[in-house]
Amino acid sequence: MSHPAVNKAAPPTPHEDLHSEQGALRGEHPGRSQNPVIKVADLAWLEFEKPDLGRAEVFARDFGFAIAARTEEALWLRGTFAGPPCMVIRRGHASRFVGPAFRAAERTDLDRLAAATGNTVRDINVPGAGKSVSLLDPSGLPVRVVYCDEQLPALPEQEPLILNFGTDHRRTNATQRPPREPSRIQRLGHVVLETRSFIRTLDWYLDTLGMIVSDFLFLDGQRGRGPTMAFIRCDQGSLAVDHHTLALHLGPGTGYVHSAYQVTDLDSIAAGGEYLAERGYRRSWGIGRHIQGSQLFDYWRDTDHFMLEHFADGDLFSCDLEPGWAPMSASGLAQWGPPVTRDFLGASPSPAKLREVMRALRDDNELDPARLLGLMKAMSS
């Protein structure tokens, strides 16, 4: 695979050689907005609709969520960390992803956001009182920005195992017997979304919510046309935060790809995976370690075919690191682990997927035949 030459005259950035192959070339996307409306602090939760809340609760408990609240019409899921819930599943006629909710740093951010976008601050029905502003991103996906007056208290943790390293013997006269139980979710980490309007959608999240890019991926031979994937984090200044809270990639679809939930460590991932496998759930891909973000990962499908990830040990970046740039490829998704699966890549040519591709090529968006062929090549390389 060929790589564009690096501009040797450009000064090095703190990001160069840190976690991607090279930094930006002159004139490429800066990866941040000069004057965003607000700066969100984190993801708050994800919103879904499903017809069978009982079945959804069974999977949620097996995957490692705790139940924050349950009514006839809604199921609120949470992790062990103090804070807002991770997910709300409302009763609906069909299973679908509704959209993400991001957490405002201050209550006044909602007023500023509402004034800038022509929307209204409204009360929301959440465990503990809260308010929100409802938006639409350029892909047409509903996005909430929320501020909760009360935080859920912390729950008991799944303690990390004490490990021996070489001559550093921290555990003696004791065995390791991690229990076969669900991986205990600590918190929501990130969501990955697909869009046909990549640059417009990316710029909207940077300009409106004040997020910043950690890494860009581009197609081989098409770097001059701009990136096709971005790993995006929140900007909390000198406080180091997750390498990505949101990831966007160009594709024929619009909306949810997967969401990721932090657990304690590798043993929690592995033992929890065995627990899921014994109950008949389907692993999509794992266990391995990513490149962008460095997380240990394990991907599963729930009973409605949504993909969810257990992860641990992810990168944390402060605001001073500039975006990295690297070519997109299937082999570049992991440092180690089993080969990436067709299920994870969404590469199964189902009739619905083919119809989606044809609609995308007919519509006015950023996906054209050259981009589509480049994506197909990247996902087979």
Side-chain angles (χ1 to χ4, degrees):
M1 184 177 290
S2 61
H3 305 296
V6 178
N7 184 354
K8 297 298 185 181
T13 71
H15 195 106
E16 231 170 272
D17 298 325
L18 179 64
H19 67 287
S20 63
E21 295 192 17
Q22 56 189 233
L25 304 179
R26 188 180 300 277
E28 288 188 313
H29 198 295
R32 61 184 69 199
S33 174
Q34 291 295 318
N35 188 28
V37 178
I38 65 169
K39 293 184 178 182
V40 293
D42 203 350
L43 266 177
W45 59 78
L46 304 178
E47 302 190 11
F48 293 82
E49 289 182 355
K50 296 188 176 186
D52 190 337
L53 294 187
R55 187 174 70 166
E57 182 176 349
V58 170
F59 173 81
R61 291 184 184 275
D62 288 342
F63 193 73
F65 292 104
I67 308 303
R70 171 72 194 266
T71 69
E72 287 297 315
E73 298 302 320
L75 173 65
W76 288 89
L77 308 177
R78 61 160 300 176
T80 58
F81 286 1
C86 291
M87 184 187 298
V88 56
I89 305 172
R90 295 188 176 90
R91 191 181 302 279
H93 294 297
S95 295
R96 71 183 188 99
F97 175 63
V98 177
F102 291 86
R103 178 169 62 86
E106 303 287 345
R107 166 63 181 84
T108 54
D109 286 343
L110 297 186
D111 298 320
R112 185 161 62 254
L113 183 62
T117 60
N119 288 285
T120 304
V121 179
R122 301 183 185 277
D123 293 331
I124 50 173
N125 182 18
V126 60
K131 295 186 180 296
S132 76
V133 174
S134 295
L135 309 167
L136 284 177
D137 77 9
S139 297
L141 185 71
V143 176
R144 288 184 193 258
V145 179
V146 303
Y147 186 83
C148 296
D149 298 328
E150 300 176 18
Q151 301 292 306
L152 297 172
L155 297 176
E157 285 291 324
Q158 195 169 33
E159 293 297 327
L161 298 184
I162 299 172
L163 303 180
N164 288 329
F165 298 99
T167 59
D168 181 8
H169 300 157
R170 306 182 186 187
R171 188 187 79 258
T172 59
N173 297 327
T175 59
Q176 295 281 41
R177 301 292 186 269
R180 189 68 57 85
E181 63 182 6
S183 305
R184 205 171 302 175
I185 300 299
Q186 295 175 326
R187 64 183 179 95
L188 168 62
H190 63 259
V191 63
V192 179
L193 303 175
E194 183 175 354
T195 175
R196 302 170 189 171
S197 304
F198 174 78
I199 294 296
R200 285 199 303 125
T201 303
L202 168 66
D203 287 344
W204 184 88
Y205 282 96
L206 306 189
D207 293 337
T208 308
L209 305 187
M211 306 181 82
I212 56 180
V213 174
S214 297
D215 275 296
F216 283 119
L217 300 183
F218 57 88
L219 296 178
D220 187 32
Q222 298 188 31
R223 182 166 180 171
R225 295 190 63 183
T228 50
M229 186 165 188
F231 296 87
I232 311 163
R233 67 189 186 276
C234 296
D235 181 358
Q236 293 202 43
S238 61
L239 177 66
V241 301
D242 288 335
H243 170 271
H244 56 284
T245 302
L246 168 68
L248 293 173
H249 73 77
L250 177 67
T254 297
Y256 182 89
V257 178
H258 77 257
S259 52
Y261 304 86
Q262 182 176 291
V263 300
T264 300
D265 57 14
L266 179 58
D267 277 278
S268 176
I269 291 175
E274 292 298 306
Y275 184 91
L276 288 168
E278 289 172 352
R279 280 150 184 78
Y281 298 109
R282 182 161 63 89
R283 176 179 269 125
S284 179
W285 182 37
I287 299 171
R289 187 181 282 276
H290 280 307
I291 295 178
Q292 277 77 22
S294 302
Q295 301 98 331
L296 296 162
F297 65 81
D298 195 20
Y299 293 90
W300 292 83
R301 294 285 184 179
D302 74 2
T303 48
D304 295 281
H305 204 63
F306 290 108
M307 191 190 301
L308 292 86
E309 174 190 2
H310 285 142
F311 81 92
D313 190 35
D315 292 337
L316 301 174
F317 288 173
S318 58
C319 69
D320 54 311
L321 293 184
E322 298 300 318
W325 289 72
M328 177 182 283
S329 69
S331 60
L333 291 172
Q335 301 178 43
W336 57 262
V340 64
T341 64
R342 292 180 61 83
D343 179 72
F344 177 83
L345 296 174
S348 300
S350 66
K353 174 65 72 174
L354 293 175
R355 288 194 296 270
E356 190 175 61
V357 170
M358 296 306 297
R359 284 195 301 270
L361 291 174
R362 287 195 300 266
D363 291 346
D364 181 17
N365 54 57
E366 296 173 34
L367 192 74
D368 56 31
R371 284 305 224 189
L372 179 61
L373 289 173
L375 288 169
M376 294 170 63
K377 179 182 176 184
M379 292 302 98
S380 63
S381 62

